[in-house]
Amino acid sequence: MDAQLEKRTADNDNKESQQKLPGDDGFLDQFKVSDDDAWMTTDTGTPVDDRNSLRAGNRGPTLMEDFVMRTKIQRFDHERVPERAVHARGAAAHGYFESYADWSNVTAASFLGKAGKQTPILVRFSTVAGSRGSADTVRDVHGFALRFYTDEGNYDIVGNNIPVFFIQDGIQFPDLIHSVKPRPDHEMPQAATAHDTAWDFFSNNPTTLHTLLWALSGHGIPRSYRHMDGFGVHTFRFVTDEGKSKLVKFHFKSQQGLASLIWEEAQTISGHNPDFHRQDLFDSIDAGNFPEWELSVQMVDEEDVLKYGMDLLDATKILPVEYAPLIPLGKFVLNKNPTNYFVETEQAMFSPGHVVRGIDFSDDPLLNARLFSYTDTQINRNMGSPNFEQLPINRPRNGVHNNNRDGAGQQIIHTNIHAYSENTLNNGSPRLANFTQGNGFFTAPARRIVDAHYVREVSPTFLDYWSQPRLFWNSLVPAEQQMVVDAARFELSKVNSPSVRRNAITQFNRISHELATRIASAFEMDVPAEDPRYYHTNVTAGVSTFKDPLKTIASLNIGIVVADTTGNALAQAQALKKAFSEKKANAAIIAPLQTEGIDVPYSAANAALLDAVVLVGEKTESEFRRAATPLGKVAKPVELLKVAFALGKPVGVVGWREAEKSLGVGKGKVEGVYVGEGKNVGRFVEKVEEGLKTWRFVDRFQSDGKN
C-alpha cells in the first residue's frame, strides 16, 4: 500500500475509534482533507512547486504558460463569495438537541418524537446591519439561527435574540435595510443606526418602535452570544400525524443567564477586541464550557389567534408569557467549534423555508416574504447556482431524491435518466410523498383563507403600534430604563435633521410621556402633551437582562492585578487564579510586565474586557500609583479597579485596606466590593463568584428618572 494512503487510512481509523461528542454523527468527516506528510498538488492532483513562478531567466518576465501560477492566483481571486446582505458578521458552532419527551401528541416532527432523542445541530449567531469587517459589540439586533439535521430533513429556525421585528410586511424589508445601512454616498456609519436615515425610517414607521426599544436596551449589546436568548419571532404551527394543529412561538432560553454590556464598555471593547463575541464562543467551547439553551414553545389553539389583545400573525408583537407559559421541549448544547470558518460558517445558508413534517407556517406576511427571500439570497451568494444545498454544511443527513438537475457546482451524479414525474420508466421513482404516503410534509388542514379579496392594506388587527413598546418599557428595572434613555440620546445626537428628532420624540411620547421627556431634555426640545391613548401599567416577565442572576461564571473573565511581582502578592494572585479556574472562569494575572507567570501586561489590560477585577497586594494607594513602568500606565491598578466599579462590576482587593476610600464609597459594606485576607482564598472567591452572578450592581449608575 502507498505509504501516504496507509497513513491517511490509519489516521481515519484512529478518528473512528475516538469517542465522539454527543450529537456528532461524523457526517462532515468525509469531506475533511489532511495535508499531513503530503506533496503540493494542483486542484487536479498534479504534484507541483508553487513557491516561485516560471520566468524567462532569473530576472526575466513571468511566462503566461505557467499554469501553476495562473491557477493559484485565479483560485485566490475567487476565494470569497458575496457576503450576506444582512447578518454578514457572525460565528457558528456545532452541537446537539435532546428532546425531553415524546411530543408526538402535538407534532409529527421526528426530532421531537422520543424522550432523549439527540439530533445534530448547527447554530449561527450574528449582528444584522454591519459588514463582515464590523465589530461584534455594536448595538444591533442579533441573529440566532438554529439548524436541526433531522432524520427527515433539515429544519431551520432563523431567529433573533429579540422576539419581535421592525416591520409587519416583508415588502418593507428593502426599505428597512436601506435606511439602517451606511449612507451610499460615503459608506458611513458602519454597523450603526445612529444616523438620519435610520431614524427617519423609525420615526415614520411606528411598527419599528417595539423592536427599537429592545435594541436600545441591554438586548442590543449582550455580554456574549452565550448570554442571550433566541426567538423564532414568527408564529408557526405544530401539526400531528392526524392533522391536528396548534399555533406555536419558539423561545431559546440561555442556561447561562441573560447579561448585557454597558454602552461605554461595548464601545471600548470594539476598539480593543472587535472579535470579542466570536472569541468568547470559540474559547468557551474549546475549554469544555459548552453553552446550553432550553428550547421552549408557547402553544395556543388556532382559534385563539386574536384572543390576547393582539394578532399572533403580527411579527411586531409578543405573546406575553402570562397568557401562554413556556413549555420546555428539550435542550440544545454547543460542544464543537468549526474546523474551517468559511466552509462551516460562511457557507452555511439558512432559510425559514427549510421545514419538516410536523411543522408548518402561519399567514404572517413577514414570514411569507422571507420564505422567498432567503432562497433567492442564497442562490446569489452561491454565485448564481441553486446547488448551495449540496455544500457539506448544508446537506441533509437523510439523503436527497428529486428531479432537480444540473446548474453550476452540481455535485450529485444522478443515475436516474427519467427526471420527471409521473414516470413509469423508473417505476415512478422518486415517488411523491404526502400526508398518507412516504411520511411527507403536509400543510395543516386548519389553514383557511378568511378573506379572499385582493387588497394592499394593513389588517386592522395590526394597527396598535404603541401598547407593546409600553409593555416592554414598564417591564424594565429603572437602570435598564435609563439605558434605553441614554441609548436614544446617543443615537439622536448623531441625527442632524431637527424634523427627524421631533418625529422620534413624538413617537416616544405615544409610548411614555416620561420616556419622551427624558430623551428630549438632552436636546432642549419641546415635548408634546401627554398622549395617553396607549398608556397602561401592564408588565410582563422575561425581558430584563439585569433582573435575574447568572447561573454560572464559566468562561467569564477575571483580572487579578498585582502592582509588582515581589513578596507575597504574586503567590496570592496565583492561588486566586487557581481557585477561579476551578470554577471554570478565565482568570488572568495582570502585572506591569508580561514575564513568566504573568498573563497580561498593563499595556494590554482594560476593565471593559474583564467581568471582575481583583487587586492583590499590601500597598497603599500612593504606592500603587507609583507602580508604573515605561510600558505600563501610571496608576494602572487603581484605574482598573475604579473603571470596573464605575461599570457596575464586582471588584475585590486582597491585603489592601484602603479600597473603599480609593473608590470613593466611604466606610462600611458596599455591594459588589469584596475585601479579603490572603489566608482565606476560598471564601473570598465565593464572594466574588456571587458578585459575578449578580452581574451588574446597578445602584452605582446615575439615573434621571422618577425612581
Side-chain angles (χ1 to χ4, degrees):
M1 181 185 289
D2 176 81
Q4 188 173 333
L5 179 60
E6 187 174 25
K7 181 180 185 302
R8 188 178 303 153
T9 303
D11 288 344
N12 288 338
D13 289 343
N14 289 336
K15 287 180 182 177
E16 292 298 322
S17 65
Q18 292 174 359
Q19 183 72 31
K20 288 192 177 295
L21 293 166
D24 184 2
D25 59 2
F27 178 82
L28 293 177
D29 291 345
Q30 64 184 302
F31 303 104
K32 293 180 180 178
V33 175
S34 171
D35 290 331
D36 296 343
D37 193 22
W39 296 102
M40 181 70 68
T41 74
T42 64
D43 283 348
T44 55
T46 303
V48 295
D49 174 359
D50 74 345
R51 181 178 300 174
N52 300 302
S53 56
L54 185 66
R55 302 183 181 92
N58 288 342
R59 299 181 67 249
T62 300
L63 302 179
M64 282 299 294
E65 73 179 66
D66 187 359
F67 74 97
V68 179
M69 181 273 292
R70 284 188 289 107
T71 56
K72 182 177 181 180
I73 295 296
Q74 187 176 51
R75 286 291 280 108
F76 173 77
D77 290 345
H78 295 269
E79 276 187 0
R80 292 294 171 261
V81 298
E83 72 172 35
R84 291 166 169 84
V86 289
H87 296 277
R89 173 79 178 180
H94 300 275
Y96 68 93
F97 169 79
E98 182 175 311
S99 181
Y100 287 158
D102 177 353
W103 298 103
S104 57
N105 62 317
V106 291
T107 176
S110 65
F111 69 97
L112 292 168
K114 181 180 178 182
K117 183 170 184 177
Q118 291 186 349
T119 300
I121 64 166
L122 175 74
V123 171
R124 184 177 185 270
F125 305 97
S126 59
T127 52
V128 175
S131 69
R132 280 192 63 201
S134 58
D136 283 346
T137 57
V138 297
R139 183 182 297 282
D140 204 347
V141 176
H142 288 68
F144 198 139
L146 171 59
R147 168 171 294 165
F148 302 84
Y149 295 100
T150 86
D151 48 18
E152 292 187 347
N154 288 355
Y155 175 49
D156 292 353
I157 305 177
V158 192
N160 289 327
N161 78 316
I162 290 174
V164 288
F165 200 62
F166 292 100
I167 53 176
Q168 297 168 326
D169 190 331
I171 201 170
Q172 283 190 293
F173 192 72
D175 303 308
L176 168 66
I177 300 306
H178 289 166
S179 75
V180 301
K181 284 285 190 179
R183 264 179 44 172
D185 54 348
H186 52 51
E187 189 64 11
M188 295 186 294
Q190 178 59 246
T193 57
H195 53 93
D196 286 58
T197 57
W199 280 85
D200 190 31
F201 185 84
F202 297 154
S203 61
N204 281 293
N205 292 273
T207 63
T208 64
L209 296 174
H210 195 186
T211 303
L212 181 61
L213 256 64
W214 280 76
L216 294 176
S217 74
H219 296 277
I221 45 174
R223 158 57 175 82
S224 73
Y225 297 138
R226 299 180 298 119
H227 292 98
M228 66 185 196
D229 289 342
F231 304 88
V233 179
H234 306 286
T235 298
F236 295 89
R237 283 182 167 87
F238 271 177
V239 191
T240 67
D241 278 325
E242 295 73 34
K244 297 178 180 178
S245 64
K246 297 270 192 180
L247 299 178
V248 296
K249 295 184 80 72
F250 288 105
H251 296 246
F252 320 145
K253 305 301 290 184
S254 170
Q255 298 305 287
Q256 292 67 241
L258 292 181
S260 79
L261 299 172
I262 306 302
W263 180 232
E264 289 76 10
E265 67 178 323
Q267 292 175 296
T268 302
I269 291 171
S270 292
H272 278 264
N273 184 3
D275 304 310
F276 188 72
H277 284 164
R278 62 169 63 182
Q279 181 177 351
D280 174 273
L281 179 68
F282 190 96
D283 289 351
S284 296
I285 294 173
D286 201 42
N289 297 327
F290 303 143
E292 298 184 13
W293 287 261
E294 190 166 68
L295 176 68
S296 300
V297 291
Q298 292 176 286
M299 190 179 306
V300 300
D301 293 333
E302 293 265 2
E303 58 268 24
D304 291 341
V305 66
L306 296 174
K307 178 180 178 180
Y308 303 105
M310 41 81 70
D311 193 331
L312 286 173
L313 302 184
D314 181 354
T316 69
K317 307 292 194 301
I318 63 168
L319 174 59
V321 293
E322 291 79 9
Y323 297 151
L326 298 180
I327 302 171
L329 302 180
K331 70 174 182 179
F332 60 92
V333 181
L334 299 182
N335 59 10
K336 184 181 178 184
N337 284 313
T339 302
N340 183 284
Y341 180 90
F342 179 80
V343 172
E344 298 168 70
T345 302
E346 191 63 17
Q347 287 195 139
M349 299 184 185
F350 296 86
S351 171
H354 292 160
V355 69
V356 293
R357 176 186 174 96
I359 298 174
D360 195 10
F361 312 114
S362 72
D363 296 329
D364 176 345
L366 178 60
L367 174 60
N368 298 156
R370 292 180 75 200
L371 296 176
F372 164 77
S373 177
Y374 277 69
T375 300
D376 194 45
T377 296
Q378 309 305 12
I379 290 174
N380 177 63
R381 295 192 63 241
N382 201 42
M383 313 303 287
S385 169
N387 293 318
F388 61 88
E389 308 282 23
Q390 296 180 20
L391 297 171
I393 197 64
N394 298 323
R395 288 192 185 187
R397 301 296 195 258
N398 60 324
V400 174
H401 303 281
N402 56 43
N403 294 325
N404 297 336
R405 291 295 187 270
D406 307 336
Q410 175 62 254
Q411 299 172 46
I412 297 175
I413 302 174
H414 293 95
T415 60
N416 173 25
I417 62 174
H418 310 290
Y420 51 88
S421 295
E422 302 278 341
N423 73 69
T424 57
L425 297 178
N426 198 47
N427 297 317
S429 186
R431 297 177 296 280
L432 304 181
N434 56 30
F435 179 41
T436 58
Q437 301 181 88
N439 216 33
F441 172 81
F442 62 94
T443 296
R447 294 183 66 183
R448 298 183 180 91
I449 298 176
V450 296
D451 187 344
H453 294 89
Y454 287 7
V455 296
R456 288 191 184 273
E457 297 175 358
V458 177
S459 169
T461 59
F462 280 34
L463 293 179
D464 176 3
Y465 308 127
W466 301 278
S467 293
Q468 286 220 341
R470 171 85 179 196
L471 178 70
F472 178 78
W473 169 257
N474 291 347
S475 303
L476 299 178
V477 301
E480 289 175 297
Q481 291 182 336
Q482 187 67 47
M483 288 179 68
V484 171
V485 170
D486 291 343
R489 288 169 174 168
F490 173 86
E491 297 258 326
L492 288 174
S493 73
K494 307 296 183 180
V495 171
N496 295 316
S497 168
S499 64
V500 170
R501 279 188 188 167
R502 283 195 301 270
N503 289 343
I505 296 300
T506 299
Q507 294 294 353
F508 284 132
N509 191 55
R510 291 171 182 166
I511 300 169
S512 164
H513 186 65
E514 178 199 357
L515 171 63
T517 301
R518 290 167 66 180
I519 295 172
S521 66
F523 308 103
E524 293 189 334
M525 293 175 60
D526 293 331
V527 182
E530 290 192 50
D531 189 352
R533 285 174 295 172
Y534 302 95
Y535 295 174
H536 59 79
T537 58
N538 299 334
V539 296
T540 187
V543 303
S544 173
T545 59
F546 286 108
K547 194 172 184 180
D548 298 318
L550 300 184
K551 300 178 181 180
T552 174
I553 67 168
S555 289
L556 294 184
N557 300 323
I558 303 168
I560 305 171
V561 187
V562 293
D564 57 53
T565 55
T566 62
N568 295 325
L570 183 57
Q572 289 176 332
Q574 290 170 337
L576 286 171
K577 178 179 177 179
K578 181 176 183 295
F580 282 121
S581 298
E582 288 172 352
K583 294 182 177 293
K584 299 184 178 180
N586 299 327
I589 298 177
I590 301 171
L593 299 175
Q594 191 169 11
T595 57
E596 185 176 354
I598 305 303
D599 302 299
V600 180
Y602 280 2
S603 58
N606 191 287
L609 303 173
L610 304 169
D611 299 305
V613 171
V614 175
L615 200 57
V616 180
E618 300 292 342
K619 295 180 179 292
T620 64
E621 179 176 350
S622 60
E623 289 174 314
F624 276 122
R625 289 188 178 279
R626 290 197 298 269
T629 72
L631 300 177
K633 186 175 179 181
V634 174
K636 188 70 172 186
V638 178
E639 176 200 286
L640 290 171
L641 197 72
K642 287 186 173 182
V643 172
F645 181 83
L647 291 172
K649 302 181 181 187
V651 297
V653 292
V654 176
W656 181 30
R657 300 181 181 277
E658 298 182 14
E660 290 94 340
K661 178 182 176 182
S662 179
L663 293 170
V665 296
K667 293 184 178 180
K669 184 175 176 59
V670 179
E671 278 197 306
V673 177
Y674 308 101
V675 179
E677 300 297 334
K679 298 177 182 178
N680 193 359
V681 169
R683 179 58 188 142
F684 176 78
V685 168
E686 288 176 2
K687 290 179 181 178
V688 177
E689 180 182 24
E690 291 172 8
L692 281 164
K693 288 183 177 179
T694 300
W695 183 243
R696 287 292 188 271
F697 295 89
V698 296
D699 57 335
R700 300 178 197 166
F701 302 150
Q702 292 185 341
S703 173
D704 54 32
K706 294 178 181 178
N707 295 309

